[in-house]
Amino acid sequence: MKNYKTYFWLLLSVLLIFSCKEQVTDNSDHLPSWNDSSAKQSIINFVKDVTNEDSPTYVSPDDRIAVFDNDGTLWSEKPFYFQLFFAIDRVKELAPKHPDWKTTQPFKAVLENDMETLFSFGEHGLLELVMATHAGMTTDEFAQIVKNWIAKAKHPRFNRPFTDLVYQPMLELLGYLRANGFKTFIVSGGGIEFMRPWVEEVYGVPPEQVIGSSIKTKFEMRDGKPVLVRLPEIDFIDDKEGKPVGINKFIGRKPIAAFGNSDGDLQMLQWTAGGEGNRLMVYIHHTDAEREWAYDRKSSVGRLNKGLDEANQKGWTVVDMKKDWKVIYSWSE
Amino acid sequence: MKNYKTYFWLLLSVLLIFSCKEQVTDNSDHLPSWNDSSAKQSIINFVKDVTNEDSPTYVSPDDRIAVFDNDGTLWSEKPFYFQLFFAIDRVKELAPKHPDWKTTQPFKAVLENDMETLFSFGEHGLLELVMATHAGMTTDEFAQIVKNWIAKAKHPRFNRPFTDLVYQPMLELLGYLRANGFKTFIVSGGGIEFMRPWVEEVYGVPPEQVIGSSIKTKFEMRDGKPVLVRLPEIDFIDDKEGKPVGINKFIGRKPIAAFGNSDGDLQMLQWTAGGEGNRLMVYIHHTDAEREWAYDRKSSVGRLNKGLDEANQKGWTVVDMKKDWKVIYSWSE
């Protein structure tokens, strides 16, 4: 009987010891949607190196900052940035209140579903769309508008919610890094307040770890209640040279790992590479026309040209979506 | 012998169970430098309310965001903001390279230790000092300059490093909140890059949880190495109406607790109070001329006038430094 008791306590102790241990990487595969490839291996090697306390390459958890572009890196970006679908839907919804839009560009093009004309107005035209559809309301109101849209809007190719077009291998990667003590940040050219209402649920990234482009806001009292009103005025463009600026402003230290897919991410990868010690720079290369899209040097959306050259030249990791990913989306084969 | 073993395992299990438990508030006093007062009690009651899972006032850890002003709330701010001591020391150090400063205001006033004249130039004069002393170098260089200064500069009244002038009761409060699952942020009118090099060590607040005023930076390649160069151009003023704007931009959700000491913090407290559910708004009232400084409605630095009225009217917590704090600085009686 006493022996039995002893074994009981022994077992309990052992169980507790195991349940007590800090979450550490075991030998099981945290990246099951990744084929065994040099890309996968370079990621795993990097994580092992910076988390190994006995190694000179060890990095303390505080400094394990990983930054991720969003469009084309965490979710798809074709036929054009998903935020533009949102802006277009907003124009159509707001049109009854703006009869002049029927005859005024770029709104006319949107209302006539004439994408070719819309894009002919270039960045300036798109900016006008954003200002007309993203400003004028409070931040709380805008967050609700985004939530409503993301819950019901569907991607034209797959007829599925846009959030179904996040990459399963990247979700696994986010989780793998966090399980190894990394703080994961999104650093996107997309709107910061367009992302925050849904990225925590989808990517597990809290609002305070989302960096993006923004318009200005203004503090006001409305009926004794404080609000922030969104103004039709650019505050910050978090793209290209803006990405290191945004990282420095919001995070205040250099990342040790950076993930992007376009020339818009090049400076972020350069900034990350510029730090001392072990660094991981990764480009996601869109090579799978069948399961997703294939594009790089000549694409108008998500062009990867200079970045691909620099990655090859400097030995950065390039993920070949077609070869390296078993699955693109969680629901696809 | 078997009995002995049983007790051993029993003891081990009990120890492990206790060491396993998530860190929770026990009954010991986390705020030993606080006298028992209504202020201390309001803080403790709030923390108990939002961490009690069985209560309707429960707040999930993700949303336990607490924001703290810095100057006058976490450390002293007299005879003037400590960052101005830094700017003055920088002017004196850089003066040999700027012979024109001997005859040009506001630099002339600084070099002649003529504070009265310096302050007569108002905000514009101070801004000119900041631009001349805080810009023109890379972000890494500036961080090193701040680190060197904070390590050796001394406060004129106490002849001690400025970081000795942090409030011991507030350090305990930061720790108490973090032990209860709060994420603590600094939201200061001071320079974001003036604070980041030292606040992690002093307050336990990591760089990515520091929000402040900033100048613009520009990404550049220098000898193949990426740098961010600090430009003499205002990016953001994190004061008054700017504080809710900064909180929304950097954190992306509303705090549930806010701590300030001046009218510059009023909008931050209003913004915090404007959320739903249980909220804690606290003003630190400087009432102790002997151990620290006594000032409020008429002070040019850290004026607390409108804020004091609103706190009284709305029943916010007002901490009376003289009565409520046993100790001001860790080294003082």
Side-chain angles (χ1 to χ4, degrees):
Chain A
M1 183 60 187
K2 268 178 190 161
N3 245 330
Y4 172 82
K5 266 192 191 162
T6 305
Y7 287 123
F8 171 77
W9 292 116
L10 176 61
L11 184 66
L12 184 58
S13 299
V14 168
L15 284 173
L16 283 167
I17 285 166
F18 276 92
S19 68
C20 261
K21 276 187 73 169
E22 259 194 279
Q23 190 171 13
V24 291
T25 328
D26 59 20
N27 292 321
S28 74
D29 190 354
H30 284 76
L31 305 170
S33 300
W34 292 68
N35 284 313
D36 290 318
S37 68
S38 60
K40 178 177 181 174
Q41 206 50 54
S42 73
I43 292 168
I44 291 174
N45 288 345
F46 169 78
V47 170
K48 282 189 178 160
D49 283 351
V50 298
T51 56
N52 176 3
E53 287 192 49
D54 301 324
S55 161
T57 58
Y58 177 74
V59 174
S60 76
D62 276 355
D63 285 322
R64 290 183 207 154
I65 305 281
V67 289
F68 290 81
D69 170 55
N70 185 36
D71 298 307
T73 299
L74 295 179
W75 73 350
S76 296
E77 59 184 355
K78 290 279 181 176
F80 42 77
Y81 299 129
F82 295 173
Q83 192 172 355
L84 183 52
F85 282 100
F86 169 73
I88 287 169
D89 286 352
R90 290 287 300 153
V91 166
K92 290 178 179 171
E93 207 172 315
L94 295 169
K97 287 183 188 165
H98 300 267
D100 55 306
W101 284 358
K102 275 185 198 160
T103 51
T104 316
Q105 294 293 14
F107 306 99
K108 183 170 180 285
V110 171
L111 294 175
E112 293 170 353
N113 292 313
D114 181 359
M115 290 299 116
E116 203 178 329
T117 302
L118 174 59
F119 287 123
S120 74
F121 298 113
E123 215 169 282
H124 179 75
L126 299 180
L127 210 59
E128 228 177 308
L129 281 195
V130 168
M131 293 309 178
T133 56
H134 287 56
M137 69 294 280
T138 70
T139 50
D140 284 349
E141 286 162 358
F142 185 72
Q144 195 54 54
I145 290 167
V146 171
K147 273 185 203 166
N148 294 346
W149 181 82
I150 205 97
K152 66 173 208 291
K154 294 202 169 158
H155 188 280
R157 174 171 164 188
F158 297 103
N159 196 32
R160 282 178 169 268
F162 287 95
T163 49
D164 274 9
L165 274 72
V166 304
Y167 306 132
Q168 177 60 23
M170 295 306 284
L171 290 180
E172 294 167 6
L173 181 55
L174 284 165
Y176 172 58
L177 290 173
R178 288 194 290 257
N180 280 281
F182 280 77
K183 224 169 177 173
T184 53
F185 286 80
I186 292 173
V187 180
S188 168
I192 192 166
E193 302 219 48
F194 174 73
M195 294 183 283
R196 281 175 166 164
W198 55 269
V199 295
E200 183 157 28
E201 195 182 323
V202 173
Y203 301 134
V205 176
E208 63 269 25
Q209 286 164 222
V210 178
I211 304 169
S213 297
S214 55
I215 57 177
K216 295 195 174 176
T217 64
K218 186 174 173 294
F219 180 82
E220 266 183 33
M221 280 289 177
R222 285 190 178 172
D223 306 324
K225 221 179 133 58
V227 296
L228 288 170
V229 181
R230 292 169 58 79
L231 306 177
E233 198 182 332
I234 292 286
D235 177 47
F236 178 58
I237 299 290
D238 190 45
D239 197 30
K240 300 191 177 74
E241 287 82 4
K243 291 207 173 192
V245 169
I247 288 169
N248 182 64
K249 187 194 309 208
F250 282 74
I251 308 178
R253 45 182 153 197
K254 239 173 225 170
I256 63 167
F259 303 82
N261 78 296
S262 79
D263 285 354
D265 302 312
L266 179 54
Q267 289 82 0
M268 174 170 83
L269 269 64
Q270 289 170 333
W271 181 240
T272 302
E276 279 166 34
N278 214 347
R279 306 274 156 161
L280 178 69
M281 281 64 62
V282 178
Y283 260 128
I284 309 298
H285 191 188
H286 292 262
T287 51
D288 196 329
E290 204 177 312
R291 295 186 300 171
E292 205 239 4
W293 284 268
Y295 56 96
D296 46 31
R297 295 185 189 274
K298 288 176 180 168
S299 177
S300 62
V301 172
R303 177 173 303 174
L304 178 62
N305 184 32
K306 284 184 191 171
L308 200 53
D309 291 338
E310 188 148 339
N312 291 332
Q313 185 199 327
K314 299 201 169 157
W316 295 346
T317 298
V318 177
V319 173
D320 182 325
M321 286 176 74
K322 187 171 182 175
K323 289 187 191 155
D324 293 344
W325 287 359
K326 286 181 197 162
V327 165
I328 304 273
Y329 309 124
S330 67
W331 46 270
S332 65
E333 283 310 298
Chain B
M1 184 63 188
K2 268 178 190 162
N3 244 330
Y4 172 80
K5 266 190 192 162
T6 305
Y7 286 122
F8 171 78
W9 292 116
L10 175 61
L11 183 66
L12 185 59
S13 300
V14 168
L15 284 173
L16 284 166
I17 285 166
F18 276 91
S19 68
C20 259
K21 276 186 73 170
E22 256 193 282
Q23 193 172 11
V24 291
T25 329
D26 57 20
N27 292 320
S28 74
D29 189 355
H30 284 75
L31 304 170
S33 300
W34 292 67
N35 284 313
D36 289 319
S37 67
S38 60
K40 178 176 182 175
Q41 206 50 54
S42 74
I43 293 169
I44 291 173
N45 288 345
F46 169 79
V47 170
K48 282 188 179 161
D49 283 351
V50 299
T51 55
N52 177 1
E53 287 191 50
D54 301 324
S55 161
T57 57
Y58 176 74
V59 175
S60 77
D62 277 355
D63 285 321
R64 291 184 206 152
I65 305 280
V67 289
F68 290 81
D69 169 55
N70 185 35
D71 298 307
T73 298
L74 295 178
W75 72 353
S76 296
E77 60 184 353
K78 289 280 181 175
F80 42 76
Y81 299 129
F82 296 172
Q83 193 172 354
L84 183 52
F85 282 100
F86 169 73
I88 287 171
D89 286 352
R90 290 288 299 152
V91 167
K92 291 178 179 171
E93 206 172 316
L94 295 170
K97 287 182 188 166
H98 300 268
D100 55 306
W101 284 358
K102 277 186 195 157
T103 51
T104 316
Q105 295 292 14
F107 305 99
K108 183 170 179 286
V110 171
L111 295 176
E112 293 171 354
N113 292 313
D114 180 359
M115 290 300 117
E116 203 178 329
T117 302
L118 173 60
F119 287 123
S120 74
F121 298 112
E123 215 169 280
H124 178 74
L126 299 180
L127 210 59
E128 227 177 309
L129 280 196
V130 167
M131 292 310 178
T133 56
H134 287 56
M137 68 293 281
T138 70
T139 50
D140 284 349
E141 286 162 356
F142 185 71
Q144 195 54 55
I145 290 168
V146 171
K147 272 184 203 166
N148 294 346
W149 181 82
I150 205 98
K152 65 172 208 292
K154 294 203 170 158
H155 189 280
R157 173 172 164 187
F158 298 105
N159 196 32
R160 281 177 169 270
F162 287 95
T163 49
D164 274 10
L165 274 71
V166 305
Y167 306 131
Q168 176 61 22
M170 296 306 285
L171 290 181
E172 293 167 7
L173 182 55
L174 284 164
Y176 172 58
L177 291 173
R178 288 195 289 257
N180 279 280
F182 280 77
K183 223 169 177 174
T184 52
F185 286 80
I186 292 173
V187 180
S188 168
I192 192 166
E193 302 219 49
F194 173 74
M195 295 182 283
R196 280 175 166 165
W198 55 269
V199 295
E200 184 158 27
E201 196 182 322
V202 173
Y203 301 134
V205 176
E208 63 269 26
Q209 287 164 223
V210 178
I211 304 169
S213 297
S214 55
I215 58 177
K216 294 195 174 177
T217 64
K218 186 175 173 294
F219 180 83
E220 265 183 35
M221 281 290 178
R222 285 189 178 173
D223 306 324
K225 220 179 135 56
V227 295
L228 288 170
V229 181
R230 292 168 58 78
L231 307 177
E233 199 182 331
I234 291 287
D235 177 47
F236 178 58
I237 300 289
D238 190 44
D239 196 30
K240 299 190 177 75
E241 287 82 4
K243 290 207 173 191
V245 170
I247 288 168
N248 182 65
K249 188 195 306 209
F250 282 74
I251 309 178
R253 46 182 152 197
K254 237 172 227 170
I256 63 167
F259 302 82
N261 78 297
S262 78
D263 285 354
D265 303 312
L266 179 56
Q267 289 82 359
M268 175 170 85
L269 269 62
Q270 289 171 334
W271 181 240
T272 303
E276 278 166 35
N278 214 347
R279 305 275 156 162
L280 178 68
M281 281 63 63
V282 178
Y283 261 127
I284 309 298
H285 191 190
H286 292 262
T287 51
D288 195 330
E290 204 177 313
R291 295 186 302 171
E292 205 239 4
W293 284 268
Y295 56 97
D296 47 28
R297 295 185 188 274
K298 288 175 180 170
S299 177
S300 62
V301 172
R303 177 173 304 175
L304 178 61
N305 183 32
K306 284 184 192 172
L308 199 54
D309 291 338
E310 189 148 337
N312 290 332
Q313 185 198 327
K314 298 199 169 157
W316 295 346
T317 298
V318 177
V319 173
D320 182 326
M321 286 176 76
K322 187 169 181 174
K323 289 188 192 154
D324 293 345
W325 287 359
K326 285 182 198 164
V327 165
I328 304 274
Y329 308 124
S330 66
W331 46 271
S332 65
E333 284 309 300

